[in-house]
Amino acid sequence: CNADARCLWDASYTTCRSTCSSLALRTDCETAGAVCRWNSGGKYCEKQCQVAATTLAPCNAVSGCYWKNNTAVCTRVCNDTYTRDECRNNGDCNWNDNEQRCEIKCAMITDMNVCKADMRCIVENTMNNMGMVNGSICVDDPGIRFPTEQGCNNNLMNDTIWNPDLQVCVQACVFRPDPEACEADAMCNST
């Protein structure tokens, strides 16, 4: 089956199918078993990420896919190829009503440089049970998570504080990974 460039093996249904790229109609693509998916943004049929690659490096090389560490599966990137309903039904994604597009949740970003570059997200230190920094995670910006003082102050994660001067929720000092930013903030006392 795979020796023929026009064909693709569907292991889920143990059958040989036409390649996804040869399926021009959405209905044909969506009924092609577990190997294909319709790209709503580009209006074409393509291989599902978990079929296109099964390990980290090849997955990250496939356009529109990323390696999901906690499940070790090649996964579709949250982007404009999703409809609003598809995005809202995907636990890794958030629908941005203002931009009318699908975006990855900050918590799903594992590259801290990507996290820093995303205006919706911040890098937060993680602590062990002794109160020592033992890593970093990407989280939603506190001003987005908690737009009110009450929400900010009652945060169960206890990783935010209310800035009364700016009237915005900010990252608690102890969780900030950047000592320079901490020292520049009068609310914090970096040691």
Side-chain angles (χ1 to χ4, degrees):
C1 176
N2 286 339
D4 185 337
R6 299 167 299 164
C7 300
L8 179 66
W9 182 251
D10 183 346
S12 298
Y13 293 96
T14 60
T15 190
C16 191
R17 298 193 182 273
S18 296
T19 58
C20 302
S21 59
S22 69
L23 303 173
L25 299 175
R26 182 181 188 140
T27 52
D28 292 342
C29 182
E30 290 175 342
T31 58
V35 295
C36 302
R37 72 172 190 85
W38 186 253
N39 182 314
S40 298
K43 308 287 188 231
Y44 58 88
C45 191
E46 64 187 357
K47 281 185 192 176
Q48 291 197 33
C49 292
Q50 67 268 26
V51 174
T54 56
T55 58
L56 173 66
C59 175
N60 288 338
V62 175
S63 175
C65 301
Y66 76 100
W67 188 253
K68 190 171 173 181
N69 285 329
N70 62 339
T71 59
V73 173
C74 191
T75 305
R76 184 173 160 201
V77 170
C78 304
N79 60 22
D80 63 356
T81 65
Y82 279 83
T83 64
R84 180 179 61 223
D85 291 338
E86 287 173 330
C87 183
R88 287 181 174 163
N89 290 328
N90 183 323
D92 296 346
C93 306
N94 280 329
W95 181 256
N96 182 325
D97 283 319
N98 294 333
E99 302 285 328
Q100 291 293 297
R101 70 172 184 212
C102 192
E103 300 171 332
I104 192 165
K105 287 183 176 176
C106 296
M108 300 309 300
I109 299 173
T110 56
D111 182 331
M112 294 306 113
N113 290 322
V114 171
C115 181
K116 287 177 189 175
D118 191 321
M119 296 301 293
R120 304 169 301 122
C121 310
I122 60 168
V123 175
E124 185 167 283
N125 285 334
T126 55
M127 307 290 186
N128 64 20
N129 59 359
M130 302 293 288
M132 304 295 290
V133 174
N134 66 350
S136 299
I137 58 172
C138 189
V139 298
D140 291 330
D141 182 277
I144 295 170
R145 279 190 292 163
F146 306 108
T148 66
E149 182 176 3
Q150 181 180 2
C152 183
N153 291 337
N154 295 327
N155 170 14
L156 295 176
M157 288 176 52
N158 203 27
D159 65 342
T160 58
I161 54 175
W162 186 255
N163 184 318
D165 296 331
L166 299 176
Q167 292 292 296
V168 68
C169 190
V170 296
Q171 187 177 31
C173 302
V174 69
F175 292 101
R176 297 183 188 183
D178 181 0
E180 291 81 22
C182 196
E183 288 171 8
D185 189 334
M187 291 181 63
C188 297
N189 194 357
S190 183
T191 55

